[in-house]
Amino acid sequence: MPMDKLLVLIIDEVELARSVLGSMLRNLGVRHQHLHTARRPEEARRMIKSAPQPYDLILSDMTFRQEGPNDMTGQDLLDELRQAKGLPMQTAFIMVTGEARYQHVAEAVEGALDDYLLKPIAMRQFEERLQVVLARKQAFRPIFQAIEEADYAKAAELCEAMFRDSELYKVYAARIGSELYLRLGRLDAARRMLEAVLAFKAVPWARLGLARLDLRDADTAKACRALETLLTDNPAYADAYDVYGHALLEDMKVEAAAEVFAKAVQITPGNVSRLQKLGALQLYLGHSVEAARHLGAALAIGAQARVLDFQGVVALAIASLDLGEGDACERAFQHLEAALGRHPDSYRVRMLTLTSEVALQLSLRRAEAALNGLRQLAAQIEQPEFSYEMASSLLMLLVRCAGQQPIPQAMTWAMRLARRFCVSRARTHLLELAAAPMPAVEALVRDAAQAINTQANEAMAHLVRKQHQRTLEALAELAGSSLNARIINLARATLNHHGQRLAPEALLRLRQAIDPLHERYTDAGRQLVERKD
């Protein structure tokens, strides 16, 4: 794109720095009216969100004077925009920093940063680096276009061709192509690209990509070893902490995962997603003081940000309930109530608003109103859109409400939640933690998960005796009564593998029982977006 067509945003709290960068850009041909400036990342976020067209280039300082404990940095802004898909891939993002922050910025390059510049910036160096970045963006324009059109297969093919034929853009093509192959479930192709890049250049993002593939292959131990080594070599690589924390959660090491996420928050204290992730884990662990602090900071920073997850606002309401902080609990409810006003047709926002209202009623000691809200939530347990996160929050509130008054249906509701949502060891463990304030409910969750596993194993045992129909009928019954996604997937896979051994009438009957469950209750069938509305 010609320089006179570029729309540019400069983010720096020092007026002289903004002036110098603006002068350099004007000397290169950028029009004065196409140059926008912001003093802080928070201001830049609003400008990016409201801009009539996407910026072609963003130049941001890395560090800003701290006006609060969780103020945003340039990397926080970049991470937020990336996580919320707040910028098209065609936009170039360049970080500017002083020598003292070089290591942090160099590692931020691994997180979708296009380049970085060290102060003081020489005009010739600035021009050369900018031309390289813009030329690369132009070369990848067809790939970015395919991604924006959600044609990931075409984008992957274009990356494959670039990876094969272009020495200049080989590494960058592998970076995007491996992500696309991961999205498409083509794990072998993603691994091939990443290993080829590492043989050519030892870049941290490729090592992180291989660790993510190990996680997808359920090799948690291998992934953890690789991530520990990666973080030893790159201790400020925030994305690696994200993946490592996820790996530890899969291994049911929740305390360790919280410690890892805390390190990521230390590196990026203004990152809304990381603050919410850490706060949510701390709530599961019963650390309500720390949970409220991090979740409250996330809401304060990201109240208007697309990256803010409404489920984290519910977690804030529950943590505030634990601490007897009625005002904070009410703020969380009011935020969700306002969101419901903007999204009146959203099932997810409606359920989360109701959940936060229950927390508020409990904080106000309105036991009957809270119980009425719990009844409304419990009536939704069998709905396909009722999610694992909603189930966890309902369980947390159920045990807290039962501590204030007897709830005759408490054990029944907990059993229904457990049977449906104990789909893995890790998720079962988190549900146990959610129920921990009431040991009887915690034990019920654990026992329900064991019972589901026992019933599934007993059903599969019939295959040894070649009793295929008996196996499938038992799995279909268990899938229908529990609505457990793991059992539904098992029933569907078993039917596809052994269905040809059944009589046509039996096959049709079982398919009519299992296929609708798979369509409605498994992640593959539901196609629901769990994060935002």
Side-chain angles (χ1 to χ4, degrees):
M1 178 182 291
M3 285 289 183
D4 63 347
K5 301 294 185 183
L6 289 183
L7 184 62
V8 182
L9 175 61
I10 301 170
I11 312 165
D12 199 303
E13 63 185 344
V14 179
E15 184 178 359
L16 178 60
R18 297 195 301 270
S19 177
V20 168
L21 282 172
S23 177
M24 287 182 174
L25 287 164
R26 286 191 296 273
N27 288 339
L28 293 175
V30 177
R31 294 183 179 181
H32 177 76
Q33 61 267 34
H34 291 174
L35 273 173
H36 299 171
T37 63
R39 195 178 71 84
R40 310 256 324 157
E42 295 84 356
E43 179 188 0
R45 174 209 276 156
R46 292 191 294 272
M47 294 176 64
I48 292 166
K49 185 177 180 179
S50 61
Q53 67 185 75
Y55 287 100
D56 300 298
L57 171 65
I58 296 175
L59 290 156
S60 176
D61 196 9
M62 176 70 174
T63 57
F64 295 79
R65 185 171 58 254
Q66 294 295 289
E67 298 176 350
N70 293 96
D71 286 343
M72 296 182 75
T73 65
Q75 185 174 343
D76 289 332
L77 177 64
L78 171 63
D79 287 344
E80 179 180 302
L81 293 170
R82 181 181 47 154
Q83 291 160 356
K85 297 180 172 59
L87 281 181
M89 297 186 74
Q90 192 62 42
T91 299
F93 198 112
I94 298 177
M95 203 79 76
V96 181
T97 188
E99 185 72 32
R101 299 288 293 176
Y102 168 79
Q103 184 63 33
H104 286 76
V105 177
E107 287 165 359
V109 171
E110 309 304 330
L113 184 63
D114 288 293
D115 205 345
Y116 61 93
L117 294 168
L118 295 179
K119 298 177 181 178
I121 303 170
M123 181 64 190
R124 182 174 180 179
Q125 177 201 34
F126 179 62
E127 181 179 8
E128 290 174 353
R129 298 281 280 275
L130 185 58
Q131 292 292 351
V132 168
V133 168
L134 295 177
R136 186 170 62 209
K137 289 289 185 182
Q138 183 63 32
F140 279 79
R141 184 178 289 274
I143 295 171
F144 297 152
Q145 183 67 34
I147 292 172
E148 289 182 9
E149 294 171 356
D151 192 347
Y152 304 120
K154 177 183 177 181
E157 290 175 6
L158 292 171
C159 280
E160 186 72 58
M162 189 83 75
F163 177 71
R164 182 183 62 246
D165 301 333
S166 172
E167 286 302 315
L168 180 60
Y169 297 129
K170 184 182 187 71
V171 174
Y172 195 73
R175 177 168 155 183
I176 298 173
S178 60
E179 287 287 338
L180 289 166
Y181 280 137
L182 191 61
R183 180 191 288 263
L184 293 166
R186 297 177 58 183
L187 305 189
D188 289 343
R191 188 177 294 277
R192 170 179 52 79
M193 266 193 173
L194 292 169
E195 289 176 344
V197 167
L198 283 175
F200 173 73
K201 185 179 181 182
V203 288
W205 62 259
R207 295 165 65 185
L208 180 60
L210 288 175
R212 291 170 61 200
L213 287 173
D214 291 334
L215 275 180
R216 287 283 292 268
D217 286 337
D219 195 342
T220 306
K222 183 179 179 182
C224 285
R225 288 194 299 271
L227 289 162
E228 288 163 5
T229 302
L230 175 58
L231 286 167
T232 298
D233 297 339
N234 304 271
Y237 192 1
D239 284 0
Y241 287 106
D242 292 339
V243 179
Y244 189 28
H246 175 67
L248 291 169
L249 280 178
E250 288 296 313
D251 208 23
M252 299 192 302
K253 297 174 180 176
V254 183
E255 287 274 10
E259 292 175 4
V260 166
F261 288 137
K263 291 178 181 178
V265 166
Q266 288 174 2
I267 297 167
T268 57
N271 185 285
V272 173
S273 292
R274 291 183 179 123
L275 284 165
Q276 287 194 302
K277 191 180 300 180
L278 173 59
L281 272 190
Q282 289 169 330
L283 181 61
Y284 274 111
L285 292 165
H287 304 159
S288 297
V289 173
E290 295 88 346
R293 176 161 56 86
H294 291 114
L295 293 165
L299 181 57
I301 297 167
Q304 305 304 318
R306 187 170 178 264
V307 74
L308 184 80
D309 185 4
F310 294 147
Q311 180 64 44
V313 182
V314 171
L316 173 60
I318 298 173
S320 301
L321 166 65
D322 290 345
L323 300 176
E325 296 178 352
D327 289 347
C329 195
E330 185 168 6
R331 280 197 299 275
F333 167 68
Q334 289 175 345
H335 184 87
L336 288 167
E337 193 176 39
L340 183 59
R342 298 191 302 273
H343 307 286
D345 298 325
S346 168
Y347 176 89
R348 181 172 190 258
V349 178
R350 188 167 70 252
M351 288 299 102
L352 296 180
T353 303
L354 177 58
T355 305
S356 68
E357 184 178 8
V358 172
L360 178 59
Q361 298 294 358
L362 285 172
S363 76
L364 296 172
R365 297 287 177 174
R366 296 173 181 169
E368 188 56 41
L371 182 54
N372 182 55
L374 287 175
R375 290 192 187 101
Q376 294 179 59
L377 290 169
Q380 300 294 315
I381 293 173
E382 278 77 32
Q383 291 300 311
E385 298 86 0
F386 196 81
S387 68
Y388 175 86
E389 288 76 13
M390 295 175 196
S392 297
S393 296
L394 173 53
L395 200 53
M396 288 181 181
L397 290 173
L398 178 61
V399 297
R400 285 160 174 78
C401 188
Q404 294 186 12
Q405 65 172 342
I407 303 178
Q409 310 97 319
M411 301 303 275
T412 300
W413 294 343
M415 175 65 76
R416 288 161 57 199
L417 288 169
R419 282 175 61 79
R420 179 174 175 187
F421 291 104
C422 288
V423 297
S424 68
R425 291 172 63 243
R427 290 202 166 193
T428 298
H429 184 53
L430 287 177
L431 286 178
E432 290 172 10
L433 290 174
M438 186 167 286
V441 179
E442 181 183 9
L444 180 147
V445 171
R446 184 165 51 251
D447 293 344
Q450 292 174 353
I452 284 276
N453 290 335
T454 298
Q455 289 174 276
N457 291 335
E458 288 173 350
M460 295 302 291
H462 298 308
L463 284 179
V464 178
R465 296 184 289 276
K466 308 296 184 183
Q467 295 174 335
H468 302 94
Q469 183 168 333
R470 187 175 177 184
T471 289
L472 286 162
E473 286 176 345
L475 288 176
E477 192 284 327
L478 182 58
S481 64
S482 67
L483 304 180
N484 184 291
R486 182 174 64 85
I487 302 302
I488 294 169
N489 282 328
L490 176 62
R492 176 82 177 281
T494 306
L495 181 64
N496 289 340
H497 191 68
H498 296 285
Q500 72 277 10
R501 301 174 185 272
L502 306 181
E505 315 83 55
L507 175 60
L508 178 61
R509 175 169 49 80
L510 285 163
R511 194 165 289 286
Q512 289 174 337
I514 294 171
D515 284 354
L517 292 173
H518 187 269
E519 177 66 24
R520 298 184 70 203
Y521 289 99
T522 67
D523 290 340
R526 283 166 50 195
Q527 298 294 316
L528 290 178
V529 177
E530 186 56 45
R531 290 266 313 151
K532 313 269 184 323
D533 292 89

